[in-house]
Amino acid sequence: MSILVGEDTRVLVQGMSGREGTFQTERCIAFGTNVVAGVTPGRGGTTHIDRPMYDSVAEAVEQEGANVSLIFVPAAFATDALLEAAEGGVDLIVCITDGLPTLDMAQVAQYLTKKGVWLIGPNCPGLTSVAEKQKVGIIPGNIHAEGRIGVVSRSGTLTYEAVSQLTALGIGQSTCVGVGGDPIIGMRHRDILELFENDPDTDAVVLIGEIGGTAEQEAADYIKNHMSKPVTGFIAGATAPPGRRMGHAGAIITGKAATAEAKKEALRDAGCYVADSPGQIGITVQRMLAERRISA
Amino acid sequence: MKIHEYQAKEVLKSFGVAVPNGRVATTADEARAIAEELGGRAVVKAQVHAGGRGKAGGVKVVANPDEAAEFAAGLLGSNLITAQTGPQGVPVNTVLVEEPVDIAQELYLSVTVDGAAKSPVIIASAAGGMEIEEIAEESPEKITQVHIDPLIGYQPFVGRRVAAALELDAALARPFGALLGGIVNAFQNKDLNLVEINPLVVTGDGSLLAADGKIDTDENSHFRHRDLAELRDADQEDPLERNANDKGVQYVKLDGDVGCMVNGAGLAMATMDVIAQVGHAPANFLDVGGGGTEEQVAEAFKIIVSDPDVKKVLINVFGGILRCDVLANGIVSAYKEVDVNVPIIVRMTGTNAEEGAEILRNSDITVAVAADLNDAATKVAEIN
């Protein structure tokens, strides 16, 4: 068991024949991911990295039973790809592409919610289920150790940093999810926490947030009212000045609630362990596990 | 991307939103001529990409054309320092000269994106003229929020709802609805991140006028809004940031003296935080990007060391798509081209970290190699 993906996962990759798509899909396959097809309009009937190619998502779903789509297409075509994936019949979409117009994402996110299709991203590193050997995204496969800690984060390399610290301390992970750094994304921290709370293979969670928006406050609210499993949090951007966008489109302090301090306070108030320094995420988790008598 | 008030008003006007009569001037004589056209009395407003202009002396109601010229002469070519700019301020290259507005009531109105609701949201308040943050703090009950379903767009009932919440006169409900519709349509059709009208004025004769206008565009949508992309005013950007932007490097200038280069926005912010934790302050935010090439790394390195405030440099890379050997080669090649006389601390891990370390060892660059994030922080504090 793990969240979002598992032994039934059958991944199709939109944009698999591109440079980035090829490079990353090969790494997913090497990790053990069940990649069943690629979709690139005009490439149907051919094969690429030993996988059949289709012209449309609908065909890949029908012919190969694909139920998850991993998207690598360029930003200008990503809205179309997202909607095609939803119409094509997959249950979960993971969109790595960054640079999508915000209001396109507002429409896509609303539409997917109405349709009952789950979305991770865009502008995200995707997710990896360590135990189930399913990597649907670009998180380097070699940083993990198998275990029972769930990780949810808005960013890419900071997630790798946190996971590496855990692995170095012998603390393994169940599933690691990067939900993305854009103002409008599919599943948010809170949604992933709910999945971890209900996952019998996850004992505790690491939540990594950053300045901007209110996703961490929503998460804190969920933790306080609904979660039994302990959470360690870290919020990046304590030193970021207000009003300036820090790389991620969503990482901008627009008011008090958007500051790192306000988010840390919300997490503390919800009973979370909070790492004050990004260098202390691993040891804070270690302390949490010891105090809560959870074996790593 | 921020655009000027006069540009925002042009956009709003094209969606049927009434704004005061006026034009921009780039010389004192032009300002005088426009004030004359407007009948003598006028408002002269510095056009800069920063709020707080009024308090900083960038806005004045003038009694006659000569006064308009005099005030414009003082502003044009100078730097305006407001609460939202750095100590060096931002250059005033244009002023907006407008007819004075007869104010009976000031409202606040904006449209922005609510990530939690995954929708645009209208924010309105009868307490206009103040910063929305202040209203939120002092009288949050005076703020109304109404979401717009992005699949449906603006509908007249939304206008009626907001007008009722603002307790507007019955006679104003219909024109207010039309104005709000124009603003929401501008927001959606032009792919904006923010439209803010503060104040939206109810005039003495009962009409509605956008006395101010602020627009923030979504750069990710500029490929289909060339007209907006062309409104970029590079003079309003910090020179170091402008140079970085033009080279495709995500860079924000900060107040400290430790330059940093990182891959990924989250790790870049975390690196800034770790620098602060050891009692120093970051000189910048810099994300070389996931798909960074050797050339991009070299450019990013040059941007950091060309900042005179930088006294030491921390490079923190978690190799993924950006491999550590590519990073090392980028640093080595940039090092040859620029004069570097500050200590450099490098922390590399992930893809090809060993190869990267080898490249740095075999070069003639002196760097301090950090084992992990905590070690990097310690070295930032110790090495001078």
Side-chain angles (χ1 to χ4, degrees):
Chain A
M1 273 289 290
S2 62
I3 67 164
L4 294 163
V5 291
E7 58 182 353
D8 299 331
T9 294
R10 297 176 70 79
V11 180
L12 70 86
V13 182
Q14 289 175 267
M16 185 167 83
S17 53
R19 194 174 61 95
E20 169 102 1
T22 301
F23 178 85
Q24 296 296 347
T25 305
E26 282 173 340
R27 269 145 196 83
C28 290
I29 293 169
F31 191 80
T33 312
N34 190 18
V35 177
V36 297
V39 173
T40 302
R43 296 289 295 268
T46 64
T47 59
H48 186 66
I49 38 179
D50 287 336
R51 299 295 187 281
M53 294 293 294
Y54 292 89
D55 289 326
S56 72
V57 171
E59 286 171 86
V61 168
E62 193 183 302
Q63 298 296 319
E64 306 294 339
N67 51 16
V68 174
S69 176
L70 174 59
I71 297 182
F72 286 109
V73 308
F77 310 103
T79 304
D80 182 43
L82 281 158
L83 293 171
E84 186 191 347
E87 284 296 299
V90 300
D91 306 322
L92 169 69
I93 304 170
V94 179
C95 184
I96 307 302
T97 309
D98 74 348
L100 271 80
T102 303
L103 293 180
D104 281 8
M105 266 316 299
Q107 293 190 320
V108 168
Q110 295 289 343
Y111 180 74
L112 296 190
T113 303
K114 289 181 194 355
K115 191 116 183 138
V117 176
W118 279 353
L119 169 66
I120 298 292
N123 188 15
C124 79
L127 70 134
T128 298
S129 160
V130 186
E132 303 279 344
K133 297 263 179 292
Q134 298 295 323
K135 164 172 129 96
V136 187
I138 63 172
I139 302 174
N142 59 3
I143 62 175
H144 297 286
E146 196 179 324
R148 303 183 57 83
I149 305 299
V151 178
V152 56
S153 167
R154 275 210 242 175
S155 74
T157 47
L158 181 56
T159 312
Y160 314 165
E161 172 70 38
V163 170
S164 299
Q165 288 181 26
L166 295 177
T167 299
L169 292 171
I171 303 168
Q173 306 92 43
S174 53
T175 310
C176 301
V177 187
V179 294
D182 278 359
I184 294 187
I185 54 174
M187 300 184 81
R188 294 161 67 86
H189 278 82
R190 187 220 161 278
D191 305 317
I192 303 299
L193 288 179
E194 188 174 347
L195 297 179
F196 279 137
E197 174 68 10
N198 295 321
D199 175 24
D201 291 333
T202 296
D203 291 336
V205 177
V206 178
L207 180 149
I208 297 166
E210 63 192 35
I211 55 161
T214 55
E216 295 79 4
Q217 280 89 343
E218 287 163 40
D221 194 52
Y222 178 79
I223 293 165
K224 196 173 181 175
N225 295 310
H226 303 285
M227 235 173 135
S228 62
K229 297 176 184 178
V231 177
T232 288
F234 171 73
I235 308 290
T239 47
R244 302 302 311 272
R245 201 161 263 120
M246 297 285 124
H248 284 156
I252 176 166
I253 297 174
T254 47
K256 274 204 183 116
T259 63
E261 202 34 63
K263 288 161 187 281
K264 284 182 190 173
E265 195 49 50
L267 291 174
R268 279 192 207 102
D269 182 54
C272 298
Y273 290 72
V274 174
D276 271 318
S277 159
Q280 289 162 3
I281 297 170
I283 58 165
T284 307
V285 174
Q286 196 173 44
R287 183 161 62 88
M288 169 178 78
L289 296 179
E291 288 182 12
R292 298 298 183 97
R293 299 179 189 285
I294 297 169
S295 53
Chain B
M1 183 187 82
K2 286 177 183 166
I3 62 174
H4 287 296
E5 175 194 358
Y6 75 92
Q7 297 166 331
K9 283 177 167 171
E10 287 297 323
V11 172
L12 290 170
K13 223 161 108 180
S14 71
F15 284 86
V17 177
V19 301
N21 287 319
R23 282 192 289 122
V24 284
T26 54
T27 66
D29 285 341
E30 278 173 27
R32 185 200 319 269
I34 298 166
E36 260 164 27
E37 281 171 36
L38 295 172
R41 284 188 69 229
V43 186
V44 181
K45 305 172 92 175
Q47 297 297 290
V48 291
H49 287 184
R53 292 174 301 171
K55 283 180 192 145
V59 178
K60 192 178 180 185
V61 181
V62 295
N64 55 59
D66 281 344
E67 220 180 286
E70 192 188 332
F71 185 61
L75 283 176
L76 290 165
S78 76
N79 273 25
L80 189 69
I81 302 159
T82 84
Q84 294 183 16
T85 67
Q88 70 287 357
V90 277
V92 184
N93 295 326
T94 48
V95 294
L96 177 60
V97 185
E98 285 185 334
E99 62 182 3
V101 178
D102 172 21
I103 300 171
Q105 191 189 354
E106 292 185 308
L107 308 170
Y108 173 92
L109 188 60
S110 69
V111 184
T112 185
V113 169
D114 180 353
K118 304 176 190 186
S119 299
V121 60
I122 296 164
I123 303 172
S125 173
M130 290 162 73
E131 296 285 327
I132 190 69
E133 278 284 305
E134 286 175 57
I135 309 174
E137 215 149 281
E138 287 171 24
S139 38
E141 75 286 351
K142 285 189 185 155
I143 296 177
T144 299
Q145 296 200 20
V146 180
H147 290 95
I148 299 288
D149 186 325
L151 297 174
I152 295 170
Y154 182 80
Q155 297 298 323
F157 78 87
V158 173
R160 294 196 292 273
R161 220 174 119 188
V162 179
L166 292 174
E167 297 177 351
L168 293 182
D169 276 353
L172 271 177
R174 195 180 287 266
F176 178 81
L179 174 133
L180 183 58
I183 291 166
V184 174
N185 288 338
F187 184 84
Q188 290 201 299
N189 293 351
K190 291 288 184 184
D191 276 292
L192 305 176
N193 280 338
L194 172 74
V195 180
E196 185 179 63
I197 298 175
N198 190 21
L200 172 66
V201 167
V202 181
T203 62
D205 62 4
S207 54
L208 292 160
L209 212 50
D212 200 355
K214 191 196 268 184
I215 281 179
D216 190 2
T217 71
D218 177 5
E219 283 168 65
N220 287 345
S221 77
H222 279 185
F223 69 90
R224 61 188 178 211
H225 299 294
R226 290 292 149 105
D227 55 333
L228 292 179
E230 281 169 13
L231 298 182
R232 178 180 171 200
D233 182 354
D235 288 345
Q236 298 290 314
E237 300 165 17
D238 176 278
L240 289 167
E241 289 182 12
R242 181 168 60 210
N243 175 35
N245 260 324
D246 291 340
K247 293 185 168 122
V249 175
Q250 303 250 35
Y251 173 88
V252 178
K253 175 83 179 94
L254 302 169
D255 295 337
D257 62 3
V258 182
C260 46
M261 172 157 84
V262 188
N263 64 329
L267 190 60
M269 282 187 272
T271 304
M272 286 157 47
D273 296 346
V274 93
I275 290 168
Q277 226 108 46
V278 291
H280 286 256
N284 63 275
F285 164 95
L286 189 150
D287 174 9
V288 279
T293 59
E294 191 180 313
E295 289 72 30
Q296 245 170 322
V297 170
E299 285 301 338
F301 185 79
K302 284 189 238 171
I303 288 162
I304 294 170
V305 296
S306 68
D307 177 355
D309 296 338
V310 166
K311 300 288 180 281
K312 38 188 124 175
V313 173
L314 170 58
I315 295 169
N316 181 23
V317 166
F318 203 116
I321 306 174
L322 172 64
R323 304 191 322 253
C324 294
D325 55 324
V326 172
L327 175 91
N329 279 325
I331 296 169
V332 171
S333 81
Y335 208 91
K336 286 177 195 147
E337 291 175 44
V338 285
D339 206 14
V340 183
N341 35 33
V342 293
I344 295 167
I345 299 139
V346 179
R347 184 272 180 133
M348 281 187 302
T349 186
T351 313
N352 293 0
E354 262 317 303
E355 289 87 334
E358 187 68 27
I359 290 164
L360 290 179
R361 264 198 302 275
N362 295 337
S363 72
D364 46 11
I365 309 176
T366 316
V367 298
V369 177
D372 59 28
L373 206 45
N374 292 327
D375 187 32
T378 308
K379 288 195 158 65
V380 164
E382 284 172 357
I383 295 172
N384 283 299

